[in-house]
Amino acid sequence: MSAIKPYVQVRPDVRYVPIEDARAKMGAYADALALDQLVRSPRARTLGWTPTLHSVAGNAARLLEEWRAARV
């Protein structure tokens, strides 16, 4: 949240939601969001993916702008 804060006018609403409540509202998507994954580029590269960003926090401005553009 601290990486995005300088680029938004409204404070993001980030809060804890118990997984059971999230499942009731979003179904299996809640489990997908709750996953704790480690993505390693050597394995991803064997699938043909090349990472372009090394840090979400370091690229918050770019990612937020891409998200805003996609919503239009």
Side-chain angles (χ1 to χ4, degrees):
M1 184 168 83
S2 61
I4 295 173
K5 187 177 178 180
Y7 306 103
V8 294
Q9 296 175 359
V10 181
R11 185 171 186 255
D13 183 17
V14 179
R15 58 201 146 131
Y16 172 77
V17 176
I19 191 66
E20 296 80 17
D21 294 349
R23 282 183 187 132
K25 185 174 183 180
M26 298 186 292
Y29 186 57
D31 288 303
L33 293 174
L35 288 175
D36 185 14
Q37 297 182 23
L38 175 63
V39 178
R40 295 180 46 195
S41 59
R43 291 180 183 163
R45 285 189 172 117
T46 63
L47 298 172
W49 178 71
T50 303
T52 57
L53 302 177
H54 300 288
S55 162
V56 172
N59 291 281
R62 172 185 161 185
L63 294 169
L64 185 60
E65 187 57 38
E66 288 177 10
W67 177 77
R68 285 178 175 153
R71 293 184 70 199
V72 177

